[in-house]
Amino acid sequence: MMATRQLLGAARSRAVGSASLGLRRTMATVSDSALDKKVKQNNWEEGNFINYKKMSENLAIVRSRLNRPLAYAEKILYSHLDDPHGQEIERGVSYLRLRPDRVACQDATAQMAILQFMSAGMPSVANPTTVHCDHLIEAQQGGEKDLARAVSINKEVYDFLASACAKYNIGFWKPGSGIIHQILLENYAFPGGLLIGTDSHTPNAGGLGMAAIGVGGADAVDVMANLPWELKAPKVIGVKLTGALSGWTSPKDIILKVAGILTVKGGTGAIVEYFGPGVDSLSATGMGTICNMGAEIGATTSLFPFNDRMYDYLKATKRTEIGDFARSYAKELRQDDGAEYDQLIEINLSELEPHINGPFTPDLATPISKFAEAAKANNWPDEVKVGLIGSCTNSSYEDMSRAASIARDALNHGIKSKALFTVTPGSEQIRATIARDGQLQTFEEFGGVVLANACGPCIGQWDRQDVKKGEANSIISSYNRNFTGRNDGNPATHSFVTSPDLVVAMSIAGSLSFNPLTDTLKDKDGKDFKLSAPSGSGLPERGYDPGQDTYQAPPKDRETVNVQVSPTSDRLQLLSPFNAWDGKDATDMPILIKAQGKTTTDHISMAGPWLKYRGHLDNISNNMLIGAINAANGEANKIKNFTTGEWDAVPAVARDYKAKGIRWVVVGDWNYGEGSSREHAALEPRHLGGLAIITRSFARIHETNLKKQGMLPLTFSDPADYDRINPDDKVDILCTELAVGKPITLRVKPQNGEAFEIPLSHTFNEAQIEWFKNGSALNTMAKKAKN
């Protein structure tokens, strides 16, 4: 029997309840008395409570309307509806207006989100919000030195964020505290909750049964300002897990396998919901790993049903009261028996092999038994230059313990890592705990460099020195994303993602051809030995060590706080509103660039050294689309300026057009804007004079971000029409045709030949059309506030 079975077709697939939970579906609501308790959302904030009673009441209203079994994802979304009585509900069609429980921002995206919130003129955020400093710390020499350097270099930004958080009643996690997603799991995630975060890997909190969704900063501003948040009702993909993990197979291998099945766009517009008896063999942090990397298949989010493993984690992180409260609401923290899924995948964990995905894309999945053969056949560089473990995806106590057990096995045989080896603790709590319990010492003995509690190389914050740019080489990490050049800025680096276990094993061997399940290594005496399968505790027996206190609570007196923004700063810039639509059709527009192939948000607005300008829109716009491949010449960042006939960088040409009053469009390929949630990829084209992005298809977050900034994200009604467009064509867009559910006309004017028309599709609803007319969602918000 194969380890994976995929069931597709017109008939929806039904879930059978997990017997191990011993729960029966009932249409009645949980008794009010059990849900009347006032249980705090976390240990850091006073006055913010988990409202299972309200969720239960909303769910009862929706059940009476739909009269069908519900998936767990649906339960969370529908229990957070702004208007459960009147909301239209059709999966994949309706736009849900939701009231999330929380907002979380990382420091790179928080700058623009807070700048936008400031322009709304409110004295305080209306919903619980936190900011996490994790993106601006570059990996160079090691944790302490890198952190000190980052604090010095980024002082202006950190001072702005700290003062803005204090002013607007936002919790602030200082540099060194850890990666946003790990902090959320350790402190803020709770079963049945709805959280939005300005980072694409926000779904990590699904490991505690929370619907945690990555958004752009403008969406976060809506919720901070107490507006309902809008989401197109997702479809639900069910993943039924049977069997149990063992040996070298880890939770990471589940999502690596799923990514291979669904590809980078297979989850778009859907929530991935895991269920079945196999779930109980996974730790809560292991479930978090799976949900985290669900971002790589384009999923809205991923989640698991509440179970005892989640309760154990809540207890271990000093949140027993939340665990007890969740148990009283447990029947609504899982799918109903007979819940229908739009697609069903089945994976037998007992037969699942360890996987390695890559290079250059996270959905190229290869089982370990076939990986050496694939590496040879594809001529991937065999030598592993660097092994990297940690990151928001895989830095739990369990991950570190298992990885350390393999490293210790090698040390006991007198050998260390052949590859350079780095360790990124996901949080200060993890760092302090593994320092106390010895895993950190093992990694250092193994030859590892312990980096700061931050994103580091995973997002390109890595001053890599061991290879020259352009030199083909292989690295292997336990990260989640491996697009071209993402980790080190070198487009020739072959980056592979896998479990921490395989990263350590292949770092020891120094070769992509090594399979630890079957192959032997030489010990210090030249004798053959096989690495033992990894082992390690899911939770620390002595509890977690919190380490240094890195949290800044908002002060009681916030009126006297001044937000620090220097008018001469090259890193922070107060925002000016975008112009409203002029009410006319747009004519004779050039195509700035026809992008060919994969165009991620990394291609549109690179990270790495550009992160420092995330709070300065004009400066960061100098990286707009510099990574996109021009279909006209197959090159990056080289396009023709039609007004001069000269070839120049993309941002330079866009600025020239803007200065001359010429609006422009971009033409893009499939799944345009996949990857990180960064709204700068939408802000920059808007700032530099763009009107529309026309593609074969969009990634969800980027499409919404473009709408929020007053841009037109449009798709070819027939994707083959992409090939009919030449980079030097001029185009008209009949903006006056923009209406809900109706196509809009693109008139194409070739340099040589007759004009022709192409229908374009869009997903605008009435409210979003107002964003376009007013120039942005923020302009719309301000307009309503004046009225």
Side-chain angles (χ1 to χ4, degrees):
M1 175 181 162
M2 293 180 62
T4 310
R5 201 155 56 96
Q6 191 174 5
L7 311 177
L8 298 163
R12 284 182 170 169
S13 307
R14 294 180 179 270
V16 179
S18 173
S20 65
L21 290 173
L23 301 170
R24 292 181 315 176
R25 183 173 64 81
T26 168
M27 299 306 282
T29 56
V30 179
S31 66
D32 283 349
S33 60
L35 302 183
D36 276 334
K37 291 180 188 171
K38 288 199 117 182
V39 176
K40 290 195 299 182
Q41 284 190 17
N42 55 74
N43 295 324
W44 299 101
E45 300 165 345
E46 299 297 329
N48 294 326
F49 301 98
I50 297 173
N51 200 342
Y52 282 149
K53 185 174 183 181
K54 175 68 172 173
M55 293 182 206
S56 178
E57 290 167 351
N58 283 359
L59 208 47
I61 294 165
V62 173
R63 282 191 186 283
S64 68
R65 292 178 53 202
L66 297 182
N67 195 28
R68 64 170 173 81
L70 299 175
Y72 180 36
E74 291 182 292
K75 290 186 182 184
I76 297 181
L77 294 181
Y78 303 161
S79 68
H80 286 83
L81 285 171
D82 183 50
D83 177 16
H85 288 284
Q87 171 71 60
E88 179 186 309
I89 300 172
E90 184 180 350
R91 287 195 328 213
V93 176
S94 310
Y95 279 86
L96 306 178
R97 289 165 63 82
L98 300 163
R99 292 286 180 179
D101 297 296
R102 302 194 62 81
V103 179
C105 305
Q106 38 93 333
D107 51 353
T109 49
Q111 296 169 60
M112 195 57 69
I114 289 175
L115 287 165
Q116 290 178 86
F117 180 77
M118 287 168 63
S119 67
M122 297 181 69
S124 168
V125 292
N127 288 295
T129 303
T130 53
V131 166
H132 305 260
C133 294
D134 61 0
H135 269 58
L136 303 180
I137 303 167
E138 185 182 51
Q140 260 193 1
Q141 297 172 289
E144 287 187 23
K145 289 181 180 178
D146 292 345
L147 178 59
R149 180 171 172 270
V151 168
S152 173
I153 290 172
N154 301 307
K155 184 179 186 302
E156 182 183 5
V157 171
Y158 292 146
D159 286 350
F160 163 68
L161 292 174
S163 60
C165 287
K167 181 72 172 178
Y168 297 111
N169 201 30
I170 298 169
F172 180 65
W173 288 84
K174 301 172 190 175
S177 59
I179 306 173
I180 177 173
H181 312 303
Q182 186 74 20
I183 297 293
L184 292 175
L185 197 70
E186 291 173 354
N187 297 276
Y188 296 104
F190 63 88
L194 176 62
L195 174 146
I196 62 168
T198 59
D199 190 279
S200 57
H201 294 108
T202 300
N204 190 76
L208 274 178
M210 188 176 216
I213 301 176
V215 299
D219 278 356
V221 172
D222 283 355
V223 178
M224 290 156 71
N226 209 31
L227 296 176
W229 173 58
E230 200 169 69
L231 176 72
K232 191 171 187 180
K235 295 185 177 182
V236 187
I237 298 172
V239 180
K240 183 178 181 180
L241 303 179
T242 59
L245 296 175
S246 63
W248 284 90
T249 310
S250 73
K252 184 70 165 281
D253 297 305
I254 297 172
I255 184 57
L256 295 173
K257 178 71 176 177
V258 170
I261 295 168
L262 290 175
T263 77
V264 290
K265 57 181 185 282
T268 303
I271 291 178
V272 179
E273 177 170 313
Y274 294 83
F275 68 98
V279 167
D280 293 333
S281 72
L282 308 177
S283 64
T285 52
M287 296 182 217
T289 292
I290 294 164
C291 295
N292 176 298
M293 198 176 158
E296 306 320 313
I297 55 173
T300 302
T301 192
S302 303
L303 45 73
F304 282 81
F306 176 64
N307 67 2
D308 288 344
R309 304 302 293 275
M310 294 184 191
Y311 182 92
D312 293 343
Y313 184 76
L314 287 166
K315 185 176 179 181
T317 50
K318 298 182 169 58
R319 293 177 286 170
T320 303
E321 194 177 7
I322 294 176
D324 291 337
F325 198 29
R327 280 182 167 172
S328 70
Y329 188 57
K331 77 176 188 65
E332 301 297 11
L333 299 176
R334 61 180 295 278
Q335 78 286 354
D336 290 336
D337 287 348
E340 295 183 338
Y341 294 106
D342 298 282
Q343 182 177 343
L344 182 66
I345 295 167
E346 293 188 22
I347 297 178
N348 183 342
L349 303 183
S350 300
E351 299 175 2
L352 181 65
E353 273 191 79
H355 277 63
I356 301 174
N357 287 24
F360 307 124
T361 185
D363 58 355
L364 180 58
T366 309
I368 188 66
S369 61
K370 296 179 180 175
F371 189 73
E373 179 187 340
K376 188 175 181 181
N378 289 285
N379 202 28
W380 298 332
D382 184 69
E383 182 188 359
V384 174
K385 288 281 190 182
V386 191
L388 309 97
I389 67 166
S391 84
C392 65
T393 321
N394 277 111
S395 61
S396 67
Y397 188 82
E398 179 179 47
D399 290 327
M400 295 298 182
S401 297
R402 284 172 60 99
S405 77
I406 303 166
R408 178 55 60 190
D409 190 15
L411 290 168
N412 289 343
H413 286 87
I415 60 173
K416 297 182 179 183
S417 177
K418 278 188 182 176
L420 296 174
F421 187 74
T422 70
V423 181
T424 304
S427 69
E428 170 60 10
Q429 179 167 278
I430 288 294
R431 185 210 61 78
T433 305
I434 63 174
R436 181 198 67 196
D437 291 352
Q439 294 95 333
L440 216 54
Q441 182 185 348
T442 295
F443 291 135
E444 288 175 335
E445 285 180 42
F446 182 65
V449 175
V450 179
L451 302 176
N453 311 325
C455 301
C458 184
I459 61 161
Q461 282 283 44
W462 184 17
D463 183 20
R464 189 179 178 193
Q465 298 290 337
D466 65 293
V467 296
K468 293 177 182 175
K469 191 167 183 177
E471 181 184 337
N473 72 101
S474 292
I475 64 173
I476 188 162
S477 77
S478 67
Y479 302 163
N480 45 37
R481 190 167 282 163
N482 60 344
F483 297 135
T484 302
R486 176 177 173 86
N487 302 124
D488 61 3
N490 180 3
T493 292
H494 294 57
S495 177
F496 299 89
V497 291
T498 187
S499 66
D501 307 338
L502 284 190
V503 173
V504 176
M506 299 185 93
S507 296
I508 296 166
S511 167
L512 291 182
S513 304
F514 179 66
N515 178 355
L517 283 74
T518 58
D519 299 344
T520 59
L521 295 164
K522 298 283 187 187
D523 69 11
K524 68 179 190 302
D525 298 321
K527 293 179 180 176
D528 289 342
F529 78 99
K530 250 180 93 175
L531 289 170
S532 299
S535 61
S537 302
L539 297 168
E541 291 178 12
R542 296 159 60 192
Y544 285 103
D545 181 337
Q548 298 176 37
D549 182 8
T550 53
Y551 177 69
Q552 172 192 293
K556 289 184 178 170
D557 177 17
R558 294 182 290 105
E559 291 206 9
T560 59
V561 177
N562 291 314
V563 180
Q564 299 176 31
V565 182
S566 166
T568 59
S569 173
D570 72 340
R571 297 194 61 179
L572 296 164
Q573 179 188 45
L574 295 176
L575 297 173
S576 300
F578 290 129
N579 292 332
W581 176 48
D582 61 8
K584 301 174 183 175
D585 292 334
T587 59
D588 289 319
M589 292 183 293
I591 296 166
L592 181 70
I593 182 172
K594 181 182 179 182
Q596 177 180 293
K598 192 183 280 285
T599 309
T600 72
T601 48
D602 278 319
H603 294 96
I604 304 166
S605 176
M606 284 187 179
W610 291 96
L611 282 169
K612 66 182 179 183
Y613 296 123
R614 284 285 178 89
H616 198 294
L617 179 55
D618 194 57
N619 283 347
I620 198 169
S621 293
N622 288 323
N623 78 358
M624 186 192 73
L625 285 160
I626 62 176
I629 300 301
N630 184 4
N633 56 12
E635 296 183 43
N637 204 26
K638 187 177 179 182
I639 61 171
K640 193 172 188 178
N641 184 328
F642 87 93
T643 67
T644 65
E646 301 294 319
W647 292 82
D648 207 341
V650 181
V653 175
R655 285 187 187 278
D656 187 55
Y657 289 169
K658 182 181 180 181
K660 293 171 178 171
I662 300 168
R663 287 180 295 180
W664 47 263
V665 304
V666 167
V667 173
D669 218 322
W670 294 104
N671 209 28
Y672 184 94
E674 69 176 285
S676 297
S677 67
R678 63 190 68 144
E679 65 180 325
H680 298 79
L683 279 161
E684 292 172 29
R686 181 72 166 101
H687 175 63
L688 294 185
L691 176 78
I693 312 292
I694 306 164
T695 70
R696 293 192 205 246
S697 68
F698 283 100
R700 174 189 64 86
I701 298 177
H702 187 60
E703 181 183 25
T704 302
N705 285 347
L706 288 165
K707 291 179 184 177
K708 289 267 180 179
Q709 303 308 336
M711 295 277 293
L712 289 173
L714 307 168
T715 55
F716 295 106
S717 300
D718 178 359
D721 283 339
Y722 168 90
D723 294 318
R724 299 176 66 192
I725 307 287
N726 289 312
D728 57 0
D729 293 342
K730 295 279 181 55
V731 298
D732 302 342
I733 295 179
L734 306 191
C735 304
T736 52
E737 293 181 347
L738 185 62
V740 175
K742 294 182 179 176
I744 189 169
T745 302
L746 177 74
R747 186 177 295 124
V748 183
K749 302 172 178 177
Q751 271 196 340
N752 302 304
E754 298 213 0
F756 58 93
E757 293 186 350
I758 287 176
L760 302 176
S761 302
H762 64 85
T763 60
F764 280 87
N765 59 29
E766 290 290 359
Q768 293 169 343
I769 289 175
E770 289 304 304
W771 299 346
F772 172 69
K773 289 179 176 178
N774 293 324
S776 72
L778 205 58
N779 289 358
T780 305
M781 187 192 303
K783 187 177 176 181
K784 286 179 180 175
K786 286 178 187 174
N787 298 335

